[in-house]
Amino acid sequence: MRLLAAITLLPALVLANILTAPAQDGPSRSGAAPVEEELISKEKRTWELYKNKDVKALAELTGEDFYDIYPAGEVVGKKQYLQDVLEIEVKDYSLSDFKVTMLNGGAAVVVYKAKAHAVVKGKELKSEVAVTSGWARRGGRWLNVFYRENALELNGRRLL
């Protein structure tokens, strides 16, 4: 399923980054590990910023053309995403099983699992999700341009 998500996301990321990505025959083995570590670190940082409701710092890590697909299928842009940060209280979370797929020198897909405990509109929520997050290198910086969670477990009920 993760491979399918990466393949589905590939055309959008490549098209969005074709003008800004450096020319390259493919990711080099020697340069991949530091980039992968940087992207995993940035992904972890977005969770901490989200938990702390640091909208300003989140905005700096998020591309102007960012979009998120919410669980009900609603597609939201950067502005709505940042507004929604203020509506959710993240109590705690854990992240695991990170994998980074470099699409080219300027685009990558990060997939991982997340467990979260939050309060959403007054309701307590515990979930386990598979995350697909797209990153693009622009102006020398990695920016988050896509995010999607697929529920694996919701309030103790296994969905798969």
Side-chain angles (χ1 to χ4, degrees):
M1 178 152 31
R2 289 182 180 173
L3 180 59
L4 179 60
I7 291 170
T8 303
L9 185 57
L10 176 65
L13 286 174
V14 170
L15 287 175
N17 295 291
I18 199 158
L19 296 176
T20 59
Q24 182 173 322
D25 291 334
S28 69
R29 289 229 178 246
S30 62
V35 171
E36 290 173 5
E37 289 173 17
E38 179 182 1
L39 292 172
I40 290 169
S41 175
K42 286 185 179 299
E43 194 66 41
K44 289 177 179 179
R45 184 161 186 253
T46 63
W47 275 80
E48 196 59 25
L49 294 171
Y50 199 102
K51 180 181 179 188
N52 294 327
K53 299 180 186 267
D54 189 341
V55 175
K56 182 179 179 186
L58 269 174
E60 291 173 5
L61 283 173
T62 307
E64 291 304 315
D65 56 346
F66 169 88
Y67 67 97
D68 188 342
I69 303 174
Y70 284 2
E74 177 186 7
V75 177
V76 299
K78 179 178 180 175
K79 183 179 177 182
Q80 183 65 51
Y81 160 74
L82 293 173
Q83 288 174 350
D84 292 345
V85 168
L86 301 174
E87 302 296 319
I88 298 172
E89 181 185 353
V90 178
K91 299 284 193 179
D92 58 76
Y93 65 89
S94 64
L95 310 175
S96 65
D97 301 330
F98 280 89
K99 293 178 183 47
V100 177
T101 300
M102 296 301 299
L103 303 176
N104 62 36
V109 175
V110 181
V111 294
Y112 58 97
K113 289 184 182 174
K115 290 183 180 182
H117 173 209
V119 176
V120 181
K121 296 182 181 178
K123 292 185 180 182
E124 199 148 335
L125 177 72
K126 291 185 179 183
S127 66
E128 181 179 355
V129 296
V131 175
T132 303
S133 187
W135 290 81
R137 188 156 178 83
R138 296 187 178 148
R141 299 181 330 142
W142 284 101
L143 298 175
N144 191 210
V145 294
F146 174 82
Y147 186 86
R148 169 72 171 154
E149 293 179 354
N150 291 353
L152 302 173
E153 185 175 302
L154 185 59
N155 290 331
R157 183 171 162 246
R158 212 63 195 154
L159 300 176
L160 298 176

